[in-house]
Amino acid sequence: MSYSTVLHALGWLLLLLAGAILLPWATALYNAESQSVIAFSLSLLFVGFSGGALIMAFRDVKHRPSKYDLLTLVVVGWLAIPLFAAIPFYVSGFLGNLTDAYFEAISGFTTTGASVIPTLDDVDRAIIMWRAVLQWFGGWASIVMGAAVLAPLGVGGMELRVSPLTRADKSRALDRFRGTAEAVGGIYAVFTAAAFLSIWAGGVPPFEAFCLALSTISTGGFMPSDTALSEFRAPWAMAFLFVFMGLGAINFATHRAGFRGRGTEYREDPELVYLGAAVLAAGVLFAFLALGETGDVVAALGNGLFLAMSLISGTAYMSPDPSLNSGLSSVFVIGLILVGGATLSTAGGIKLMRIALLVKQSSRELKRLTHPHGIIRTHFGRRSITIQIMKSVWSFFVLFLVVYAILAALLAATGLGFEAALVAAASALGNAGPAYDLVRPSMLGESPSYPEMAEITKWILVVGMVLGRLELLALVALFSREQWQS
């Protein structure tokens, strides 16, 4: 492996992170938040210097990155960037514990949205802004790393979604990422600006609207205050949140085709159809359950669809109607967040494409019972599914369930009740942290909030969040014997 290639690319990632720190730093200056001014000033200097030093030290790297280099960069990136991003949380004193500071940073960067800050109303606005910026940055990074590395390597069947976003094949790791980052970044920024203006126009104050826009398009779920969405009393803003959660959960290769004038790509994307069907089915079910409480069919359906989109996309915002949240079943919540959104989106979970392929394969096997010698072809969109793709998808699915079971068992061993352990493990692995808070009040057994959890419990959840973002097979491939031997 070429460490110089990985460290050179990591230097540029740190420099991007230093640029992202400028926004909360300016927020701290504007609001005269002295603790945050010091914290973000020190962070800016340290992160910027570290990134610049790595770039200068390895600026002469010219050789082509291997598959192992790219996988290593993905893993190191998801672990190291949150370490630097945790500095403002720790230095400002709002999270004086290193475990809590790293937990908050990695929860933001993986767009999980689980928070260990007990009361947001007592926290500086610069810290609130930093959480939202981290989610936005992490959502962008997850699409870029998925498109530039995981899809070309065929991790978990993702070669089916190889697109123009994934063909930036140049000599250095940095160049390989740059083309994809630029292609995704423009679309991502346009969606974010549109989300901010829409939510603001819908009646949410500008600071909260901006933070909500960053958290929504990244499907992260961090809230800008302790105020529930219902207390904004802005129904149009809730409708816009629904739309932008959906856009974040759709494949960005499809968005890129749409931006380039090929609107038919939306109609031909199978995952978009599956997403719509799943949101509609779950939303109607939630509405039926809530109808007894509200008695208003339109309100129940609106809240049901909002909650369904929120869970499937991994954003996990609470429904504006509190009565709907209180009746949620843990089984439904676990099911929806583990299914997740589309591939090459900001959503987590198994992904709709893989669920669809598993169903198609089951259907093909059933047909073989009646036509044992027949040639039965299966397609996803316009592409034929090979046996190698199905093996990869099955491997991912089995590994995902095994890791989920192990995480839940470990969490239960730390003192969480059985139901709480199942939901917390799903929330971490599916990168939908607020889902745990959503159903926690109705759980049986020990179910502490994130700030109340033991340190070992938080570290297990950290592992779950990272594994969820790494698509599991990428990590297995990185540490496999064949890779080390090669």
Side-chain angles (χ1 to χ4, degrees), residues 97-169:
N97 181 307
L98 284 172
T99 297
D100 285 349
Y102 190 65
F103 183 99
E104 195 77 10
I106 209 158
S107 175
F109 192 57
T110 58
T111 73
T112 302
S115 179
V116 289
I117 297 177
T119 310
L120 292 174
D121 291 343
D122 296 334
V123 174
D124 283 353
R125 285 197 158 198
I127 295 292
I128 301 293
M129 176 67 77
W130 183 227
R131 297 161 80 239
V133 168
L134 262 182
Q135 289 202 321
W136 189 88
F137 191 45
W140 181 33
S142 67
I143 302 167
V144 172
M145 290 192 180
V149 179
L150 303 182
L153 295 180
V155 174
M158 286 182 70
E159 61 265 49
L160 273 177
R161 305 300 275 165
V162 168
S163 72
L165 285 178
T166 68
R167 293 173 186 166
D169 189 15

Side-chain angles (χ1 to χ4, degrees), residues 5 27 40 53 78 82 84 110 118 194 217 259 261 281 290 315 361 372 428 485:
T5 301
T27 305
F40 283 104
W78 283 115
F84 286 87
T110 58
I217 199 63
F259 270 65
T315 318
Q361 178 65 14
Q485 288 174 340

Side-chain angles (χ1 to χ4, degrees), residues 286 289-295 303 319-328:
F286 287 141
L289 296 174
L291 199 55
E293 297 285 339
T294 65
N303 282 288
S319 164
D321 183 354
S323 65
L324 191 56
N325 301 320
S326 61
L328 273 180

Side-chain angles (χ1 to χ4, degrees), residues 399-411:
L399 186 62
F400 193 96
L401 294 183
V402 169
V403 170
Y404 172 58
I406 292 173
L407 279 177
L410 290 174
L411 290 171

Side-chain angles (χ1 to χ4, degrees), residues 260-475:
R260 294 166 73 91
R262 299 201 302 274
T264 54
E265 290 287 332
Y266 283 107
R267 192 171 62 245
E268 295 173 358
D269 184 351
E271 284 188 295
L272 186 52
V273 176
Y274 303 146
L275 178 66
V279 169
L280 185 61
V284 169
L285 179 60
F286 287 141
F288 179 75
L289 296 174
L291 199 55
E293 297 285 339
T294 65
D296 184 335
V297 176
V298 176
L301 187 59
N303 282 288
L305 291 173
F306 183 93
L307 186 58
M309 179 64 85
S310 177
L311 290 171
I312 291 173
S313 68
T315 318
Y317 287 145
M318 287 191 180
S319 164
D321 183 354
S323 65
L324 191 56
N325 301 320
S326 61
L328 273 180
S329 160
S330 297
V331 175
F332 282 137
V333 170
I334 292 171
L336 290 177
I337 60 180
L338 287 186
V339 168
T343 47
L344 300 186
S345 71
T346 57
I350 296 171
K351 303 284 170 37
L352 291 162
M353 178 199 73
R354 297 190 181 104
I355 299 293
L357 290 181
L358 292 172
V359 172
K360 285 175 180 284
Q361 178 65 14
S362 300
S363 173
R364 182 160 69 175
E365 294 304 321
L366 285 175
K367 287 178 182 175
R368 278 183 176 164
L369 292 177
T370 51
H371 304 286
H373 302 295
I375 299 174
I376 303 167
R377 300 186 186 281
T378 307
H379 294 82
F380 182 82
R382 286 173 293 184
R383 297 194 60 176
S384 180
I385 303 170
T386 66
I387 191 65
Q388 289 305 323
I389 290 176
M390 281 313 308
K391 283 181 180 178
S392 180
V393 172
W394 270 110
S395 300
F396 177 91
F397 182 67
V398 171
L399 186 62
F400 193 96
L401 294 183
V402 169
V403 170
Y404 172 58
I406 292 173
L407 279 177
L410 290 174
L411 290 171
T414 66
L416 261 62
F418 180 68
E419 185 180 2
L422 289 175
V423 178
S427 301
L429 202 56
N431 299 119
Y436 175 77
D437 290 325
L438 209 58
V439 291
R440 192 173 65 84
S442 60
M443 286 181 188
L444 299 175
E446 193 69 24
S447 55
S449 64
Y450 286 116
E452 297 168 341
M453 288 179 178
E455 285 208 5
I456 183 65
T457 308
K458 292 172 185 171
W459 280 109
I460 293 169
L461 291 175
V462 163
V463 172
M465 294 178 211
V466 176
L467 288 176
R469 268 295 163 226
L470 284 176
E471 299 276 347
L472 295 175
L473 284 179
L475 196 65

